[in-house]
């Protein structure tokens, strides 16, 4: 299996320098996500793949759900454990496609903020579904939040899609339609001048493609929504929240 974990670790270790424990809170911006996940987790436990600095895992823990995590970046986990001790929220360093988390009896495994696309090869994404399935208890749920590729915005011959454009930030994505790769370019601006530049590589994945991956892992689709508020998913939805279940 191809493995992009070393490349991703370098990227996210660098990004971790911009995270701080104070960034983690049960705010209005994440309340809908937490409501959704807490309901599925029930008495738990829950496992977050690509847990990062704990933006979702920590407030979910504070709501009373037992949570563990996996992340490719040791630096991210250091930030996480500056917020809550490892005894309260254990986290394993490794790829979410292969890493072992403590236990094999999770009521919920979830991936948020498009993190499934950080696995840069299709076989890694397939392996991630298998990894989630083997950590789930019978009847447990696997949830992924991810954007829907916006290929309809690409005129013939164009590979760039604009994202965020403000006085201080410019983000655009460049697509490779053959490999399903996207590079998200980020530019910080000050008075019209670029003061920093960077970006992250991704492999976009279609909802129907994920359903095949889930089926390969023995999981069945329960529902798909446009957002955490359970609004209907349509052909116009720019993102999806998918829920699969492991059979009893």
């Amino acid at each position: 299996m191809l493995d992009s974990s070393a490349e991703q670790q370098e990227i996210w270790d660098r990004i971790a320098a911009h995270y701080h424990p104070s960034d983690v809170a049960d705010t209005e911006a994440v309340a809908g996500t937490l409501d959704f996940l807490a309901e599925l987790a029930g008495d738990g436990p829950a496992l977050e793949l690509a847990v990062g600095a704990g933006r979702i895992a920590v407030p979910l823990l504070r709501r009373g759900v037992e949570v563990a995590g996996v992340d490719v970046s040791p630096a991210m986990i250091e930030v996480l454990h500056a917020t809550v001790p490892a005894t309260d929220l254990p986290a394993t360093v490794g790829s979410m496609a292969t890493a072992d988390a403590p236990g094999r009896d999770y009521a919920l495994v979830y991936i948020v903020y498009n993190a499934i696309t950080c696995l840069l090869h299709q076989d890694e994404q397939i392996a991630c579904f298998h990894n989630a399935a083997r950590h789930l208890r019978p009847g447990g749920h696997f949830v992924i939040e991810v954007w829907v590729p916006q290929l309809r915005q690409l005129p013939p011959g164009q590979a760039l899609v604009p994202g965020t454009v403000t006085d201080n930030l410019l983000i655009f994505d460049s697509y490779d339609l053959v490999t399903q790769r996207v590079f998200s370019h980020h530019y910080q601006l000050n008075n019209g001048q670029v003061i920093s530049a960077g970006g992250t590589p991704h492999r976009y994945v279609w909802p129907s493609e994920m359903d095949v991956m889930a089926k390969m892992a023995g999981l069945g689709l329960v529902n798909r929504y446009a957002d955490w508020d359970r609004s209907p998913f349509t052909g116009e939805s720019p993102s999806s929240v998918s829920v699969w279940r492991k059979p009893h």
Side-chain angles (χ1 to χ4, degrees), residues 47 84 158 242-243:
L47 172 63
V84 295
Q158 180 174 313
S242 304
V243 183

Side-chain angles (χ1 to χ4, degrees), residues 37 39-42 44-47 104-110 129 132-143 214 217-222 242-248:
L37 295 175
E39 180 180 330
L40 279 182
L47 172 63
R104 286 289 188 279
D105 192 37
Y106 289 92
L108 173 68
V109 178
Y110 64 94
F129 275 79
R134 71 190 181 92
H135 281 90
L136 280 173
R137 66 176 61 159
H141 293 89
F142 183 34
V143 174
L219 305 174
L221 182 67
V222 176
S242 304
V243 183
W244 300 272
R245 183 167 53 221
K246 184 174 183 176
H248 286 282

Side-chain angles (χ1 to χ4, degrees), residues 133-218:
R134 71 190 181 92
H135 281 90
L136 280 173
R137 66 176 61 159
H141 293 89
F142 183 34
V143 174
I144 292 181
E145 175 198 26
V146 66
W147 90 83
V148 176
Q150 298 300 297
L151 300 190
R152 286 186 297 177
Q153 295 186 32
L154 290 175
Q158 180 174 313
L160 301 179
V161 173
T164 301
V165 180
T166 70
D167 291 340
N168 301 315
L169 179 64
L170 171 63
I171 299 176
F172 65 89
D173 297 330
S174 56
Y175 281 78
D176 183 331
L177 304 188
V178 175
T179 62
Q180 290 186 208
R181 288 290 187 92
V182 177
F183 195 91
S184 185
H185 305 264
H186 293 234
Y187 296 91
Q188 296 285 340
L189 309 176
N190 185 19
N191 294 324
Q193 301 296 314
V194 175
I195 58 175
S196 68
T200 52
H202 303 269
R203 181 190 185 271
Y204 63 82
V205 59
W206 298 98
S208 57
E209 187 181 6
M210 291 193 295
D211 288 341
V212 173
M213 294 178 183
K215 187 173 183 179
M216 293 170 67

Side-chain angles (χ1 to χ4, degrees), residues 11 20 72 117 138 164 187 244:
I11 292 168
H20 189 272
V72 73
T117 68
T164 301
Y187 296 91
W244 300 272

